[in-house]
Amino acid sequence: MRFAAQAVEVEVLHYWTSGGEAKSVAELKKMMEAKGYTWKDFAVAGGGGENAMTALKTRVVSGNPPAAAQIKGPSIQEWGAEGVLASIDDVAKKGGWDKLLPPVVSSVVKYKGQYVAAPVNVHRVNWLWVNPELLKKSQCQSANHLG
């Protein structure tokens, strides 16, 4: 007698709910479902992720955490210290993450040397987006005021 393999349901808490963010989540969902998992969406809109973190804390404290959650890099260490993250070293090893990820990224998604998070995107706080034409124009105007 053969039994059909039952897809494992993975509840994913995230706050990518608008525009391109929602499209990104749809792509992640497709990738997960292609591997035989069922994505159970737990989207929490608003607050730049603050509302989602409040929902996550409530679920963790009540003993009912989601299987996966979108967490900003620095918070990973805090959650690790709480003892609520699981090692995903097997997945990281299989994917060769130590060779693929720059140390600045891998150190953020590891807790005490073990991978506990998967990097999905990378943000920096010191980026500067510049319109070169407007910058040049403003520099010319500034130079005219100085001389």
Side-chain angles (χ1 to χ4, degrees):
M1 182 181 271
R2 296 180 68 182
F3 295 94
Q6 187 173 6
V8 175
E9 183 178 83
V10 179
E11 184 180 29
V12 182
L13 181 149
H14 67 88
Y15 49 90
W16 281 356
T17 58
S18 63
E21 294 174 340
K23 289 179 182 179
S24 296
V25 167
E27 289 301 314
L28 291 171
K29 180 179 178 180
K30 274 194 244 177
M31 290 167 57
M32 184 177 276
E33 289 179 344
K35 294 194 179 279
Y37 296 94
T38 300
W39 177 292
K40 182 179 177 186
D41 207 42
F42 181 5
V44 181
E50 289 180 37
N51 295 345
M53 291 306 95
T54 299
L56 179 60
K57 287 175 188 171
T58 300
R59 291 280 302 268
V60 169
V61 168
S62 70
N64 185 28
Q70 178 185 8
I71 302 172
K72 292 179 183 172
S75 298
I76 294 169
Q77 302 306 307
E78 295 169 16
W79 285 104
E82 293 294 324
V84 295
L85 300 180
S87 172
I88 57 171
D89 272 347
D90 291 344
V91 173
K93 183 176 266 188
K94 191 174 182 181
W97 292 8
D98 281 333
K99 293 177 185 168
L100 293 173
L101 297 175
V104 70
V105 174
S106 65
S107 67
V108 171
V109 296
K110 286 181 178 181
Y111 180 72
K112 293 189 175 179
Q114 291 190 327
Y115 282 98
V116 293
V120 177
N121 68 342
V122 177
H123 287 271
R124 293 195 51 117
V125 295
N126 60 349
W127 285 15
L128 180 62
W129 298 96
V130 177
N131 178 324
E133 291 175 22
L134 290 177
L135 179 62
K136 188 175 182 179
K137 184 177 177 183
S138 71
Q139 289 172 333
C140 290
Q141 288 174 350
S142 295
N144 289 337
H145 289 290
L146 294 175

